[in-house]
Amino acid sequence: MSTGFFYVLQDDARILFVDDDPILRAFAQVNLATPATEIDLAADGAEALESLATGRYDLVLLDLEMPGLDGFEVLTRIRNDPALKDLVVIVQTGREDVEAIDRCFHLGATSFVMKPLNWRLLAYQIRYVLRAERQASVGRAAA
């Protein structure tokens, strides 16, 4: 078995990583960007919504705890926007309380990951969530 490095994210994708922590944004760029996967960054909820209004994304990684518009409000606005309602949203947060988890899924989160982030595991989760969404999209188009 080869133990050489390979990119987990091999399919074309554009991802928006939203977090108020500049170190995490830099880590996201380093750990998730590949020749096929583009990572855009937003420092807060308002910046995230601006990016979503002007660009096309396959997935959003959304922090919950941010100044101004928090992740709950951003998720609510995404799901209430007809153009974004089917966008894949993975919530990434240090909160693991039942209330936060339930609220995220009730608001329409696709998945939920805990901080500190395991970047390799996150890349695999992104890979499989995107593949599942793309297969579901094909099914919806065929119906």
Side-chain angles (χ1 to χ4, degrees):
M1 180 174 165
S2 172
T3 58
F5 180 82
F6 70 95
Y7 292 113
V8 173
L9 299 175
Q10 298 175 356
D11 298 332
D12 288 337
R14 187 169 180 207
I15 297 171
L16 180 61
F17 186 88
V18 186
D19 200 297
D20 59 322
D21 184 334
I23 294 170
L24 277 181
R25 291 194 308 271
F27 281 176
Q29 191 72 51
V30 168
N31 288 287
L32 298 176
T34 72
T37 304
E38 178 182 348
I39 307 297
D40 290 347
L41 307 171
D44 58 38
E47 189 177 332
L49 292 173
E50 287 174 26
S51 294
L52 290 167
T54 59
R56 189 190 95 30
Y57 292 93
D58 299 293
L59 184 142
V60 174
L61 283 160
L62 180 63
D63 185 26
L64 285 183
E65 305 294 328
M66 296 181 291
L69 293 177
D70 67 11
F72 294 115
E73 180 61 26
V74 173
L75 182 56
T76 299
R77 291 186 188 194
I78 287 171
R79 292 299 179 238
N80 288 331
D81 184 331
L84 301 174
K85 68 179 179 61
D86 293 323
L87 181 63
V88 175
V89 178
I90 298 176
V91 171
Q92 44 104 11
T93 183
R95 290 185 61 175
E96 59 181 313
D97 57 286
V98 172
E99 179 186 346
I101 294 168
D102 287 348
R103 186 173 175 198
C104 286
F105 283 111
H106 177 74
L107 291 173
T110 309
S111 190
F112 189 98
V113 295
M114 292 297 306
K115 291 179 182 176
L117 297 171
N118 176 321
W119 295 101
R120 191 71 167 183
L121 188 58
L122 179 58
Y124 275 106
Q125 184 171 9
I126 291 167
R127 177 180 174 175
Y128 292 113
V129 166
L130 283 176
R131 284 187 179 173
E133 175 54 29
R134 287 173 178 160
Q135 288 175 348
S137 293
V138 170
R140 286 191 298 266

